[in-house]
């Protein structure tokens, strides 16, 4: 039985309430995207209004919006600026050349001062405006006061009416913050699952996905054999595959989130094709993007076991408790990989641990892992 995500609304903010209502009034019928904490309250409101759809990645979000537009639906795409990398291709080869007008809300991580944010946001923070300029799309940065927001919105909406995609850029706190509270868990949480998992992984090289999974791993046990991804969402499995190919004798474990696993799921077919026998792909499935405020992921209906088998993994299993976890490791010890192990947990951010980069800089973390590999 899969638990449903418990959406914790972002800190309620009058600007996002106004924006959501304005979008409804202007007959926007679909909001599709991948969340950012800066946009959590807006997403919750759009979700409550029945307009929001979770996309696996930002490029898909743009293409979904494009298709909906062709069918007559005015559409909004919501993303973090780190997702511009995923967006650029459909923006430049679909929306712009076919003159498909979509309204974008893009959060501005790493801006205006990259030093105030996590290191992985620095390059995109200082490049977002320039990238949009290079693509020739109009963009406005939302200010804190309602009047300037209204003005920016009107200009962007007018561009969209004129068949041009337009971007509204959202700095920190302009539309509220996410809340990362704790809700009573009916079963186990990521932290409890990791506690039980880690003793099984002592010898393994671990590549952990971005967000709370990397943070929790760092907090529980900062080991030289762990590589903490900060950013590059969805690519932990690809990096783990590369490590496995370079070091086939080593046990390699990818610690993934369900949102991240969805983002570039095609890599799973490549894992199935290469079939590294020592690779274990663990997905912590909490049904939500916990790290950005608990928005729902598009995974509730996913049958992970059949998915793993269909994509060429040797074995896939979903576990729901500690006894299931022990049974899974007994079964895996008797079989070659690659294995997919899905830990179905309750969403619960609890106390948010610090990032690995709060103690070590990123090149150091890379070099340390590289030494462990040698
Ligand atoms: C390309 C890209 N889009 C969006 C984000 C913002 N982001 C950071 S962590 C995260 C949620 C990850 O969700 P999941 O993998 O399910 O893990 P959880 O947060 O639930 O632990 C998101 C959307 C990002 N870092 N990169």
């Amino acid at each position: 039985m899969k638990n449903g995500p418990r959406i914790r609304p972002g800190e309620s903010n009058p600007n996002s309430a106004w924006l959501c209502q304005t979008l409804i009034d202007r007959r926007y019928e679909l909001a599709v995207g991948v969340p950012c904490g800066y946009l959590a309250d807006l997403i919750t409101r759009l979700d409550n209004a029945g307009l929001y759809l979770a996309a696996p990645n930002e490029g898909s979000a743009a293409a979904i919006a494009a298709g909906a537009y062709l069918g007559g639906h005015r559409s909004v795409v919501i993303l973090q600026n780190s997702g511009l990398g995923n967006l650029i291709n459909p923006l430049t080869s679909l929306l712009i050349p076919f003159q498909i007008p979509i309204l974008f809300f893009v959060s501005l991580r790493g801006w205006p001062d990259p030093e105030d944010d996590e290191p992985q946001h620095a390059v995109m923070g200082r490049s977002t405006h320039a990238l949009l300029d290079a693509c020739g799309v109009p963009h406005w940065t939302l200010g804190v006061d309602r009047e300037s927001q209204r003005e920016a919105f009107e200009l962007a909406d007018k561009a969209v009416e004129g068949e041009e995609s337009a971007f509204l850029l959202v700095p920190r706190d302009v539309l509220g913050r996410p809340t990362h509270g704790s809700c009573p868990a009916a079963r186990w949480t990521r932290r409890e699952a990791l506690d039980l998992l880690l003793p099984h992984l002592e010898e393994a090289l671990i590549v952990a996905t971005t967000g709370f999974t990397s943070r929790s791993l760092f907090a529980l046990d900062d080991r030289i054999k762990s590589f903490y991804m900060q950013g590059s969402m969805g690519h932990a499995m690809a990096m783990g595959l590369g490590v496995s190919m370079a070091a086939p004798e080593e046990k390699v474990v990818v610690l993934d989130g369900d949102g991240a696993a969805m983002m570039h799921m095609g890599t799973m077919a490549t894992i199935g094709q290469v079939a590294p026998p020592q690779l274990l792909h663990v997905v912590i499935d909490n049904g939500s993007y916990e790290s950005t405020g608990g928005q729902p992921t598009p995974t509730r209906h996913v049958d992970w076991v059949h998915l793993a088998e269909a994509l060429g993994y040797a074995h896939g299993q979903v576990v729901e408790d500690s006894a299931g976890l022990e049974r899974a490791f007994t079964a895996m010890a008797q079989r070659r990989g690659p294995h997919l192990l899905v830990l179905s947990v309750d969403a619960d951010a609890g106390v948010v641990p610090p990032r690995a980069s709060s103690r070590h800089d990123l090149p150091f973390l890379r070099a340390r892992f590289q030494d462990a590999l040698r």
Side-chain angles (χ1 to χ4, degrees), residues 104-119:
F104 288 87
F105 286 93
V106 184
S107 65
L108 278 173
R109 298 295 306 255
W111 186 92
D113 181 1
E115 295 291 320
D116 284 346
D117 208 332
E118 300 166 40

Side-chain angles (χ1 to χ4, degrees), residues 60-77:
S60 301
I64 292 167
Y69 168 79
L70 298 188
H73 286 201
R74 304 189 85 204
S75 303
V76 174
V77 168

Side-chain angles (χ1 to χ4, degrees), residues 9-128:
E11 186 185 76
S12 181
N13 177 285
N15 293 330
S16 64
W18 165 77
L19 210 42
C20 179
Q21 192 54 51
T22 307
L23 290 170
I24 293 167
D25 295 344
R26 297 292 169 92
R27 300 210 174 76
Y28 282 92
E29 289 174 85
L30 173 68
V32 55
V34 180
C36 173
Y38 290 12
L39 302 163
D41 189 40
L42 179 64
I43 292 173
T44 304
R45 289 173 188 281
L46 291 165
D47 198 35
N48 290 342
L51 297 187
Y52 185 70
L53 175 69
N57 64 61
E58 294 79 358
S60 301
I64 292 167
Y69 168 79
L70 298 188
H73 286 201
R74 304 189 85 204
S75 303
V76 174
V77 168
I78 294 180
L79 64 144
Q80 182 175 94
N81 56 346
S82 60
L84 273 181
N86 289 330
L87 174 68
I88 287 289
N89 174 244
L91 175 67
T92 55
S93 58
L94 177 66
L95 303 188
I96 296 174
F98 286 93
Q99 294 180 357
I100 298 176
I102 302 296
L103 179 58
F104 288 87
F105 286 93
V106 184
S107 65
L108 278 173
R109 298 295 306 255
W111 186 92
D113 181 1
E115 295 291 320
D116 284 346
D117 208 332
E118 300 166 40
Q120 73 273 18
H121 291 296
V123 174
M124 195 52 99
R126 64 170 184 263
S127 314
T128 299

Side-chain angles (χ1 to χ4, degrees), residues 34-37 58 79-80 82-84 86 109 120-121 190 209-213 231-233 256-261 263-264 284 286-292 295 297:
V34 180
C36 173
E58 294 79 358
L79 64 144
Q80 182 175 94
S82 60
L84 273 181
N86 289 330
R109 298 295 306 255
Q120 73 273 18
H121 291 296
R190 175 207 347 265
T209 184
T210 189
F212 289 176
T213 294
S232 300
M233 184 173 161
D256 228 340
D258 54 316
M263 186 164 264
H264 299 296
I284 301 176
N286 53 14
S288 68
Y289 297 101
E290 190 75 55
S291 308
T292 50
Q295 303 84 2
T297 44

Side-chain angles (χ1 to χ4, degrees), residues 217-282:
L217 180 66
F218 172 68
L220 283 169
D221 185 11
D222 178 25
R223 50 207 284 291
I224 60 168
K225 287 185 146 191
S226 292
F227 185 88
Y228 309 102
M229 275 195 157
Q230 296 193 181
S232 300
M233 184 173 161
H235 293 303
M237 61 172 107
M239 191 156 171
L241 172 61
V243 171
S244 256
M245 289 167 67
E249 303 306 321
E250 297 283 346
K251 280 193 170 41
V252 177
V253 175
V254 174
L255 278 188
D256 228 340
D258 54 316
M262 283 291 132
M263 186 164 264
H264 299 296
M265 188 170 264
T267 303
M268 289 180 71
T270 308
I271 291 175
Q273 186 194 334
V274 178
Q278 297 275 45
L279 183 70
L280 166 61
H281 185 182
V282 178

Side-chain angles (χ1 to χ4, degrees), residues 110-154:
W111 186 92
D113 181 1
E115 295 291 320
D116 284 346
D117 208 332
E118 300 166 40
Q120 73 273 18
H121 291 296
V123 174
M124 195 52 99
R126 64 170 184 263
S127 314
T128 299
H129 297 82
L131 263 174
L132 297 176
D133 284 337
C135 293
V137 287
H139 56 86
W140 294 268
T141 302
L142 290 187
V144 284
D145 63 295
R146 179 70 54 77
E147 221 22 69
S148 71
Q149 291 172 6
R150 199 189 305 275
E151 205 176 302
F153 181 87
E154 291 304 337

